C-alpha cells in the first residue's frame, strides 16, 4: 500500500477536531427565539425530531460509510454539517431551526465512528496502529482547546451582527469540509 501523504492525515485530524465544533451553539436558542419567534414548545419539537433523526440514521449511515469508504463518508458528513448552518442565517424561524438541526445531526451520523475508523486505518497503514489512543486523545485535546477559544470569541460577535456567529460557524465547518477533502 502506498503510504505517501498518510502522515499528514494525523496533523489534519488535529485541525479537523477544532473546526467541527459548533462555535455558535450557545446562540442557537437565543437566535431562534429573538429573531424567529420560536416558542418553547417548538424548541422541544426540534429537539425531539433531532433525537429521532439520530436514532434512525446512525446504523444506515455507518453501513453507507463502510460501503462507500470512510473518506467519502467524511466528505459528505462535513459538507452536510457545514451547509446545515445556513438555515440559521436565511430562515431563522421554526422551520429553519428544524432543518438546520436535522441536517447537522444527519451529517454527524455520517461522521460518527467514521473519522475514528479512518484514523485507525491511517495509523495501521503507517505501521503505527499502537498509537491510536495517543493520537485520538491528543486530537481531542486540540479540539477542546480550540473550541474554548472559538466559543469564547465567536458568540461575542452576536452584538455586532446577529448572523455573524453563524457565518463564522459556517466558515469553521467549511474548513473541516476542506480538510476532509484533503485527507489521503
Amino acid at each position: 500500500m502506498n503510504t505517501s501523504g498518510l502522515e499528514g492525515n494525523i496533523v489534519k485530524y488535529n485541525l479537523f477536531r477544532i473546526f467541527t465544533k459548533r462555535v455558535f451553539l450557545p446562540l442557537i436558542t437565543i437566535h431562534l427565539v429573538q429573531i424567529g419567534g420560536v416558542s418553547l414548545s417548538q424548541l422541544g419539537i426540534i429537539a425531539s425530531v433531532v433525537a429521532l433523526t439520530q436514532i434512525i440514521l446512525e446504523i444506515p449511515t455507518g453501513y453507507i460509510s463502510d460501503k462507500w469508504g470512510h473518506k467519502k463518508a467524511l466528505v459528505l458528513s462535513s459538507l452536510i454539517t457545514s451547509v446545515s448552518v445556513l438555515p440559521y442565517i436565511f430562515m431563522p424561524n421554526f422551520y429553519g431551526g428544524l432543518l438546520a438541526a436535522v441536517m447537522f445531526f444527519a451529517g454527524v451520523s455520517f461522521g460518527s465512528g467514521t473519522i475514528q475508523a479512518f484514523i485507525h486505518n491511517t495509523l495501521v497503514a503507517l505501521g503505527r496502529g499502537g498509537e491510536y489512543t495517543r493520537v485520538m486523545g491528543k486530537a481531542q485535546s486540540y479540539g477542546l482547546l480550540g473550541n474554548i477559544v472559538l466559543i469564547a470569541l465567536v458568540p461575542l460577535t452576536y452584538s455586532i451582527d446577529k448572523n455573524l456567529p453563524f457565518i463564522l460557524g459556517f466558515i469553521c465547518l467549511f474548513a473541516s469540509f476542506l480538510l476532509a477533502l484533503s485527507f489521503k
Side-chain angles (χ1 to χ4, degrees), residues 24 29 36 42 47 53 67 76 80 83 85 90-91 97 104 107 112 117 119 126 138 140 164 173 177-178 180:
F24 50 86
T29 303
Q42 289 174 319
T53 300
K67 192 85 167 154
L76 180 59
I80 293 170
V83 171
V85 181
F90 298 110
M91 286 176 37
F104 181 81
S112 177
I119 294 301
L126 290 169
K138 185 177 172 183
Q140 179 69 5
L164 192 52
L173 289 168
F177 167 69
L178 295 176

Side-chain angles (χ1 to χ4, degrees), residues 62-135:
Y63 173 79
I64 292 168
S65 173
D66 290 340
K67 192 85 167 154
W68 286 358
H70 296 129
K71 180 179 175 179
K72 287 180 185 175
L74 283 175
V75 169
L76 180 59
S77 170
S78 298
L79 178 63
I80 293 170
T81 56
S82 64
V83 171
S84 75
V85 181
L86 299 178
Y88 293 123
I89 298 168
F90 298 110
M91 286 176 37
N93 56 34
F94 169 71
Y95 296 105
L98 182 63
L99 178 63
V102 167
M103 285 175 63
F104 181 81
F105 286 102
V108 166
S109 290
F110 270 102
S112 177
T114 301
I115 187 67
Q116 291 86 353
F118 183 82
I119 294 301
H120 179 264
N121 292 344
T122 296
L123 289 168
V124 167
L126 290 169
R128 296 173 45 197
E131 296 179 36
Y132 176 76
T133 304
R134 185 184 63 77
V135 167

Side-chain angles (χ1 to χ4, degrees), residues 17-184:
R17 292 296 296 187
I18 292 170
F19 292 123
T20 56
K21 308 291 187 208
R22 288 188 299 170
V23 297
F24 50 86
L25 182 62
L27 299 172
I28 293 172
T29 303
I30 295 166
H31 189 67
L32 290 176
V33 170
Q34 279 187 351
I35 306 299
V38 176
S39 69
L40 185 59
S41 61
Q42 289 174 319
L43 290 171
I45 291 169
I46 291 171
S48 298
V49 171
V50 165
L52 187 61
T53 300
Q54 284 187 283
I55 289 169
I56 291 170
L57 292 180
E58 197 64 34
I59 292 173
T61 55
Y63 173 79
I64 292 168
S65 173
D66 290 340
K67 192 85 167 154
W68 286 358
H70 296 129
K71 180 179 175 179
K72 287 180 185 175
L74 283 175
V75 169
L76 180 59
S77 170
S78 298
L79 178 63
I80 293 170
T81 56
S82 64
V83 171
S84 75
V85 181
L86 299 178
Y88 293 123
I89 298 168
F90 298 110
M91 286 176 37
N93 56 34
F94 169 71
Y95 296 105
L98 182 63
L99 178 63
V102 167
M103 285 175 63
F104 181 81
F105 286 102
V108 166
S109 290
F110 270 102
S112 177
T114 301
I115 187 67
Q116 291 86 353
F118 183 82
I119 294 301
H120 179 264
N121 292 344
T122 296
L123 289 168
V124 167
L126 290 169
R128 296 173 45 197
E131 296 179 36
Y132 176 76
T133 304
R134 185 184 63 77
V135 167
M136 297 305 282
K138 185 177 172 183
Q140 179 69 5
S141 296
Y142 285 134
L144 291 173
L145 287 173
N147 193 43
I148 288 169
V149 172
L150 290 172
I151 211 140
L153 298 177
V154 169
L156 296 175
T157 65
Y158 195 70
S159 62
I160 298 168
D161 183 296
K162 304 289 186 224
N163 288 321
L164 192 52
F166 299 97
I167 294 167
L168 294 171
F170 170 78
I171 291 168
C172 286
L173 289 168
F174 193 74
S176 72
F177 167 69
L178 295 176
L179 285 165
L181 278 175
S182 73
F183 283 136
K184 304 287 183 219

